[in-house]
Amino acid sequence: MTALVRLYPAAYRREFGDEISEAYREATREAGTPARVREGIDVLGHALRMRLGLGSGGRAGRLLAALAPFALIAVGASALSWAGVMRNALFVAGLGAVGAGFLALVAAYLVTLFGVFLALAGRWSAGSWTVLAGLVALLAASTVRLGVGGVGISVLSTGPMLVLALVAVACPPDLRAAPRLRTRAAVAAVLAWTLVLVAAVLMVPLSYPLTQLRFVVPVAAGLLLAGRPAFARLRTAPAVLLAGLPFVYFGVMPGTLLPLGMAVLLVLLLVTAVAVSVRRRRGLRDPLVGG
């Protein structure tokens, strides 16, 4: 535990170090190894956030909290889109022709998608770390598949998703959205519907332009699962743009969306940013507006 406490900034460590150590000891007393690992990861994450200035009291931490749900939804939609592209390749080439590396890539995308579901369902810590693990596995599998010369391509394709996963992991715990699914039965029920949705989007043959559903459907489902509280945090135009631009980028990258769809998405994003900016300015001039 001493090594973890040393990760905190010196001033914070001097003031709260003993309290952190005592809280860790209380939380892990008579606990098993998994609980100790979870608590250690929480302390590690908190220490790194404090050292990087990403605590809940700072502007950067609040911005991360606003962007995190949308970052995960964009990653999940991109993962399902790429899995759909690979499904087409698998259908054309056949299972025996693609090899273990190809199947490892598909598995990494599906693990990433499962992590997104967990996080949006309220199991944020487990879900966001699962997303990060899935993307690291994806980067490793694609690097192995492409060879040393393909490292740059692997980073280029996976790097943006990793950045968004880090946004979710770095989100301050006390600013994470409250779980919308409060019981295991609710989580299991929504997970079952998610599996049906994913299977339908992946397994049903789709011809262009219906292939856009592999991106549009998970985005819509993710936004529905995140709910109104996620949108309520987007209080400034820059936050709206930062939350929306990943959807534009990932809509282009697998070649999923038609140019018309991309144009509509961009216009909606810009109009929403302007509307939020206007509403915020009115609220600043008149405290009763937007109160």
Side-chain angles (χ1 to χ4, degrees):
M1 185 59 197
T2 303
L4 291 177
V5 172
R6 287 176 180 170
L7 293 174
Y8 283 93
Y12 192 91
R13 185 171 63 244
R14 285 193 298 269
E15 186 172 358
F16 300 106
D18 293 340
E19 182 179 336
I20 293 170
S21 298
E22 181 61 26
Y24 176 81
R25 282 194 292 270
E26 287 294 327
T28 57
R29 182 175 296 171
E30 299 181 359
T33 300
R36 291 176 181 273
V37 171
R38 283 196 302 270
E39 291 294 330
I41 289 175
D42 287 343
V43 173
L44 172 63
H46 185 243
L48 292 178
R49 281 190 293 272
M50 294 301 299
R51 187 167 287 276
L52 295 173
L54 300 177
S56 57
R59 182 177 297 178
R62 293 193 297 271
L63 179 61
L64 284 180
L67 299 181
F70 300 95
L72 285 177
I73 295 168
V75 168
S78 179
L80 190 57
S81 294
W82 280 112
V85 171
M86 300 181 78
R87 176 262 179 206
N88 292 339
L90 180 63
F91 181 78
V92 172
L95 184 61
V98 294
F102 186 94
L103 297 179
L105 292 176
V106 176
Y109 279 124
L110 295 180
V111 167
T112 300
L113 189 63
F114 177 68
V116 170
F117 165 81
L118 279 181
L120 295 178
R123 279 57 178 175
W124 189 275
S125 182
S128 57
W129 281 103
T130 299
V131 171
L132 187 61
L135 292 175
V136 170
L138 176 64
L139 179 62
S142 59
T143 300
V144 170
R145 181 174 174 80
L146 296 175
V148 177
V151 172
I153 298 175
S154 301
V155 172
L156 183 63
S157 61
T158 312
M161 299 172 74
L162 278 169
V163 171
L164 294 180
L166 289 173
V167 168
V169 169
C171 174
D174 51 337
L175 293 182
R176 294 169 184 168
R180 302 194 70 208
L181 307 177
R182 300 184 181 278
T183 65
R184 291 183 179 179
V187 173
V190 176
L191 176 59
W193 277 107
T194 301
L195 292 175
V196 171
L197 182 70
V198 171
V201 172
L202 283 181
M203 302 309 296
V204 174
L206 297 174
S207 58
Y208 210 74
L210 292 180
T211 50
Q212 295 176 101
L213 293 175
R214 294 200 177 106
F215 187 79
V216 174
V217 169
V219 168
L223 293 176
L224 182 64
L225 189 56
R228 184 177 178 181
F231 291 94
R233 291 176 180 265
L234 300 177
R235 299 189 178 101
T236 65
V240 171
L241 292 174
L242 287 173
L245 286 175
F247 296 99
V248 177
Y249 175 82
F250 290 126
V252 171
M253 277 301 290
T256 303
L257 296 182
L258 288 169
L260 178 60
M262 293 303 306
V264 170
L265 184 58
L266 276 173
V267 169
L268 288 175
L269 180 60
L270 292 174
V271 169
T272 304
V274 171
V276 168
S277 179
V278 171
R279 186 177 185 277
R280 179 176 174 80
R281 289 180 182 179
R282 288 178 177 175
L284 290 175
R285 286 199 300 267
D286 184 357
L288 295 179
V289 177

